[in-house]
Amino acid sequence: MSPNGAQAICRKIISFVAMTVFAMGVSRGAEPPPVQMTLRKIADNVYMMQHPTGSSNACFVVTPDGVLVFDADVRTADQVMAAIRRTTDKKVRYVISSHASGDHATGVWHYREDKPTFIATRKQMRDLYMQEKVEFDERKASKDPRFSVYRIPELVTPDIAFEGAMTLQFGGLTFQLTEEGNAHSTSDVTLYIPQKRLMMMGDLLDTEIHPGPGESAQVFFSNARNWIAILDRIIERRLPVDTYVPGHGPVHLGRGVADLEEQRRYFVTMRDEVSKMMAAGRTVEQIQAEFRVPAEFAHYIGPARLKAFLGLFYHQLAERGYWP
Ligand SMILES: [Zn+2]
């Protein structure tokens, strides 16, 4: 079988498992089955923990002075911590969040034994207090077995909040944090590690899955137009990066800027398809029901994310009337 054929079957299986898990998780209020994160080495002493059904990934970097963690979901950070303990005897010194959504910024509690410094942006800090904490506390108080994982942990808020950019020299490496702006969330942060030729993208980059519409406590705040502009700016930096690490989906080692270009193409193509349907008089509900995903992205998983994002495209196109 050709590698492409095998990949296609693999994707179908992943897609089926994802839909089954989703259906099981939401249908009868049952406790969701435990997921098993997969450890992937992405460079020397740099690892990504990949979520099996397309929820958030997390990364960690091991240095002689300790460990830096990028993104922490309360539902899976215990597995990341266990992987760190299996990999090194160094303590977790820093945790950085790509943005303030629950699947990236709620799991710092799991690192409490090591007392790391939690770094985020000022906008992320505000969103954590104003939105995430509300949702986190609701889930914590809930008797719904789907939220049982929230019962013991506390939402840890950042120790240090920055605006714009921040450089951290730690363990012989340079960690360059850039607040890229409002695309997936109100404040999306990338982490560039020049010595490793890596950039961690958070949810600015999702691979083989439809992007998330940036929901927190039922507020949707993604901005598809800015997303294109921000991807343009990152591509234009022409950084010596081998791998851009996605917030959701599998990491494509060595694919470089082609991953960012594919993500950018996704937004432009999907926007144009939604525009055409709007021009033909289709309502948002009709678009969500009738939309045919263009061939290049037909293998992407996450139908619920697609539906939400079509709504986002529709409303943002309607609001502006045009796109530059
Ligand atoms: Zn996410």
Side-chain angles (χ1 to χ4, degrees), residues 5-137:
Q7 270 178 10
I9 289 171
C10 236
R11 279 170 189 148
K12 281 192 183 124
I13 293 168
I14 289 168
S15 176
F16 174 75
V17 170
M19 283 189 293
T20 309
V21 168
F22 180 74
M24 287 164 72
V26 297
S27 58
R28 293 187 193 86
E31 192 160 347
V35 299
Q36 197 61 49
M37 304 283 278
T38 306
L39 181 70
R40 291 200 59 187
K41 183 175 179 177
I42 52 177
D44 276 348
N45 298 313
V46 186
Y47 301 87
M48 186 184 97
M49 292 288 278
Q50 186 179 322
H51 193 281
T53 60
S55 192
S56 57
N57 303 323
C59 297
F60 63 93
V61 184
V62 180
T63 82
D65 297 332
V67 177
L68 178 143
V69 173
F70 186 73
D71 278 350
D73 180 342
V74 67
R75 296 164 296 186
T76 54
D78 54 338
Q79 291 185 47
V80 182
M81 181 57 157
I84 291 169
R85 289 287 193 255
R86 285 196 299 272
T87 307
T88 177
D89 57 2
K90 304 290 181 193
K91 301 283 186 214
V92 177
R93 293 277 311 278
Y94 294 98
V95 180
I96 291 161
S97 55
S98 62
H99 61 292
S101 292
D103 57 335
H104 297 264
T106 54
V108 182
W109 181 85
H110 286 291
Y111 302 107
R112 64 198 181 286
E113 194 179 296
D114 290 0
K115 300 186 172 62
T117 301
F118 179 16
I119 303 174
T121 66
R122 291 182 65 185
K123 281 183 180 161
Q124 287 184 23
M125 191 182 232
R126 183 200 63 197
D127 290 350
L128 278 169
Y129 279 113
M130 300 288 286
Q131 293 175 349
E132 274 313 320
K133 191 160 178 21
V134 175
E135 182 172 274
F136 193 97
D137 289 345

Side-chain angles (χ1 to χ4, degrees), residues 129-162:
Y129 279 113
M130 300 288 286
Q131 293 175 349
E132 274 313 320
K133 191 160 178 21
V134 175
E135 182 172 274
F136 193 97
D137 289 345
E138 276 171 11
R139 291 182 174 188
K140 195 173 172 59
S142 168
K143 300 240 180 310
D144 189 328
R146 285 178 301 162
F147 301 132
S148 58
V149 73
Y150 289 81
R151 262 168 224 154
I152 297 170
E154 301 292 336
L155 183 68
V156 176
T157 47
D159 301 297
I160 294 175
F162 71 98

Side-chain angles (χ1 to χ4, degrees), residues 130-311:
M130 300 288 286
Q131 293 175 349
E132 274 313 320
K133 191 160 178 21
V134 175
E135 182 172 274
F136 193 97
D137 289 345
E138 276 171 11
R139 291 182 174 188
K140 195 173 172 59
S142 168
K143 300 240 180 310
D144 189 328
R146 285 178 301 162
F147 301 132
S148 58
V149 73
Y150 289 81
R151 262 168 224 154
I152 297 170
E154 301 292 336
L155 183 68
V156 176
T157 47
D159 301 297
I160 294 175
F162 71 98
E163 237 171 27
M166 173 174 179
T167 300
L168 175 68
Q169 301 285 1
F170 167 59
L173 296 172
T174 308
F175 295 92
Q176 194 173 321
L177 287 78
T178 304
E179 185 180 26
E180 305 285 357
N182 162 216
H184 169 73
S185 75
T186 59
S187 173
D188 291 302
V189 167
T190 56
L191 172 61
Y192 174 42
I193 314 171
Q195 294 91 338
K196 302 290 182 186
R197 299 177 65 91
L198 284 175
M199 186 183 269
M200 293 166 190
M201 295 291 293
D203 283 3
L204 291 174
L205 175 67
D206 291 344
T207 57
E208 302 178 37
I209 183 169
H210 293 287
E215 181 270 339
S216 182
Q218 292 301 301
V219 177
F220 290 80
F221 40 68
S222 284
N223 185 320
R225 182 168 166 266
N226 283 358
W227 208 322
I228 295 169
I230 284 172
L231 287 169
D232 270 341
R233 283 209 298 274
I234 299 173
I235 291 167
E236 279 165 16
R237 283 178 207 154
R238 298 173 195 278
L239 294 170
V241 167
D242 294 330
T243 304
Y244 290 89
V245 185
H248 295 250
V251 61
H252 299 149
L253 294 183
R255 193 171 182 230
V257 79
D259 263 345
L260 302 188
E261 289 165 349
E262 179 175 326
Q263 184 75 92
R264 184 192 185 283
R265 223 164 29 246
Y266 175 95
F267 285 110
V268 172
T269 308
M270 300 293 274
R271 170 200 73 189
D272 290 352
E273 291 302 312
V274 173
S275 293
K276 279 184 221 159
M277 295 178 83
M278 287 172 73
R282 294 285 186 276
T283 64
V284 63
E285 291 81 11
Q286 286 169 332
I287 292 171
Q288 285 167 329
E290 297 167 13
F291 193 83
R292 291 285 167 269
V293 177
E296 183 181 4
F297 317 113
H299 63 284
Y300 283 20
I301 64 169
R305 290 157 72 95
L306 170 65
K307 188 178 177 200
F309 223 108
L310 289 173

